[in-house]
């Protein structure tokens, strides 16, 4: 597709890729460096794409993964190798590792992906899967329609067939999406945001934050004075390059961006939740369509959103 100019004179170029999936594509995920891409679909498959020097994308691997629609696919940090995780309506999440064919292999020089483990704890559809920030080690969070966030850890990064379930967090609502807080500051504790698209409980907030308490070794629900009663389809912490507060974007019937700042610096010894101040930075509520995805650039300067109206929008802070 040709590039198009927007009303403010910006210019965005686009290219079309013939993905050859046999059904809806639910997720597209770039690796850390942006030279590889993974897609997943209701055709139960994952495809991996490599970017050539000329800028073209070529499918280098395609395989059937689950026994139902694959909702999400996500990359681990390259420090842990070429590792993907996926989740599906078939109630499982899976971890995949790229293996380069040996010299005596018919796949000599070609990569193929091997399933290292299947995570079977959910009783319902696993709706999202995300690797933790690399400074936390090789950890993986999943959320499910059963209202539970599960956090797994690979104790030996050289053996990805062994994963232990470290935490189960009950959210009381069907979960649709999760996002780890990427901050590496010692003042910030591991934190995960959870969204819900549960329409059966209209009055309940569809957005929650859970923070790890070093004293109790558990995740507790943070106190936040904000309710989001519209279904939440996606949620994303912005990269934190040294701020004392956090920035979050959520995709619901509009795009909302807000700051999250702890009221107190110290955790409570009793394990009780910390309180957070929330300030809405902006709310783009004139889109007239459901927003399905929000994604930050690595420098936190741009937010991309995509929705029902077939548009991808780029949002930039105007200081």
């Amino acid at each position: 597709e040709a590039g198009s100019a927007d009303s403010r004179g910006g210019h965005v170029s686009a290219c079309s890729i013939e993905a050859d999936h046999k059904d809806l594509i639910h997720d597209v995920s770039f690796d850390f460096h942006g030279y590889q891409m993974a897609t997943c679909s209701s055709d139960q498959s994952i495809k991996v794409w490599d970017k050539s020097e000329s800028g073209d994308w070529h499918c280098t691997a395609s395989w059937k993964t689950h026994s139902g629609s694959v909702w999400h696919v996500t990359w681990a940090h390259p420090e842990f190798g070429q590792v993907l995780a996926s989740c599906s309506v078939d109630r499982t999440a899976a971890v995949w590792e790229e293996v380069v064919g040996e010299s005596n292999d018919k796949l000599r020089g070609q990569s193929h992906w091997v399933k290292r483990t299947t995570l079977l704890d959910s009783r319902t559809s696993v709706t999202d899967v995300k690797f933790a920030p690399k400074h936390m080690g090789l950890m993986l969070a999943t959320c499910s329609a059963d209202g539970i966030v599960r956090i797994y850890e690979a104790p030996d990064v050289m053996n990805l067939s062994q994963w232990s379930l470290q935490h189960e967090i009950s959210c009381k609502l069907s979960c649709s999406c999760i996002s780890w807080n990427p901050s590496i500051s010692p003042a910030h504790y591991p934190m995960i945001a959870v969204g819900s698209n549960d329409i059966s409980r209209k009055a309940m907030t569809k957005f929650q934050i859970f923070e790890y308490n070093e004293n109790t070794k558990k995740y507790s629900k943070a106190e936040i004075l904000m309710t989001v009663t519209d279904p939440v389809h996606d949620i994303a912490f912005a990269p934190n390059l040294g701020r004392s507060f956090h920035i979050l974007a959520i995709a619901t019937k509009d795009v909302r961006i807000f700051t999250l700042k702890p009221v107190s610096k110290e955790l409570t010894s009793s394990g009780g939740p910390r309180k957070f101040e929330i300030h809405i930075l902006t709310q783009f509520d004139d889109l007239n369509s459901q927003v399905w995805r929000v994604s930050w650039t690595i420098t936190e300067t741009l937010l991309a959103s995509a929705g029902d109206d077939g548009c991808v929008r780029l949002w930039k802070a105007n200081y």
Side-chain angles (χ1 to χ4, degrees), residues 237-273:
F237 273 102
N240 190 330
L241 305 178
R243 280 181 278 98
S244 62
F245 58 91
H246 315 295
I247 296 178
L248 260 169
I250 62 173
T252 171
K253 66 179 183 182
D254 46 40
V255 175
R256 300 178 198 180
I257 304 172
F258 54 91
T259 61
L260 192 71
K261 188 174 185 178
V263 174
S264 61
K265 292 185 178 180
E266 299 302 321
L267 295 170
T268 59
S269 58
S270 64

Side-chain angles (χ1 to χ4, degrees), residues 4 16 43 77 80 94 124 126 135 200 237 254 308:
S4 60
S16 291
D43 66 9
H77 191 275
F80 304 111
T124 55
V126 182
H135 67 272
S200 63
F237 273 102
D254 46 40
D308 266 351

Side-chain angles (χ1 to χ4, degrees), residues 31-208:
D31 76 339
F32 179 80
H33 298 293
Y35 293 119
Q36 282 191 298
M37 176 176 74
T39 57
C40 64
S41 165
S42 275
D43 66 9
Q44 306 177 9
S45 74
I46 289 175
K47 292 177 185 279
V48 173
W49 307 77
D50 284 27
K51 190 176 184 179
S52 67
E53 291 183 3
S54 62
D56 297 323
W57 290 92
H58 301 282
C59 183
T60 54
S62 177
W63 69 99
K64 185 177 181 296
T65 55
H66 293 272
S67 57
S69 296
V70 188
W71 300 134
H72 284 280
V73 62
T74 186
W75 297 82
H77 191 275
E79 181 178 296
F80 304 111
Q82 293 300 95
V83 179
L84 286 169
S86 59
C87 64
S88 170
V89 71
D90 71 3
R91 301 181 293 183
T92 71
V95 177
W96 311 85
E97 186 174 23
E98 186 180 37
V99 178
V100 178
E102 302 295 336
S103 58
N104 59 351
D105 194 329
K106 66 178 180 180
L107 297 171
R108 183 180 63 218
Q110 292 186 26
S111 65
H112 58 285
W113 290 78
V114 177
K115 183 192 283 189
R116 293 304 188 199
T117 193
T118 302
L119 304 172
L120 301 164
D121 298 286
S122 177
R123 300 187 304 276
T124 55
S125 174
V126 182
T127 51
D128 202 0
V129 59
K130 294 278 169 58
F131 284 101
K134 76 174 174 82
H135 67 272
M136 293 176 61
L138 191 53
M139 299 182 75
L140 185 69
T142 68
C143 70
S144 304
D146 61 13
I148 297 176
V149 172
R150 296 174 173 87
I151 299 175
Y152 300 87
E153 182 175 18
D156 178 4
V157 297
M158 303 303 293
N159 179 10
L160 299 187
S161 62
Q162 298 296 318
W163 291 78
S164 58
L165 179 59
Q166 296 289 319
H167 302 278
E168 283 192 333
I169 306 167
S170 178
C171 299
K172 306 289 195 279
L173 274 175
S174 174
C175 302
S176 58
C177 50
I178 48 179
S179 178
W180 288 94
N181 179 355
S183 174
I184 60 173
S185 167
H188 298 154
Y189 304 98
M191 183 188 295
I192 196 161
V194 186
S196 170
N197 58 4
D198 194 330
I199 59 174
S200 63
R201 303 183 194 181
K202 293 183 179 178
M204 289 189 69
T205 184
K206 308 296 192 297
F207 162 71
Q208 301 174 63

Side-chain angles (χ1 to χ4, degrees), residues 18-34:
E18 188 54 57
D20 202 31
H21 278 289
K22 303 295 189 289
D23 209 327
L24 287 173
I25 297 173
H26 294 291
D27 200 14
V28 179
S29 177
F30 289 95
D31 76 339
F32 179 80
H33 298 293

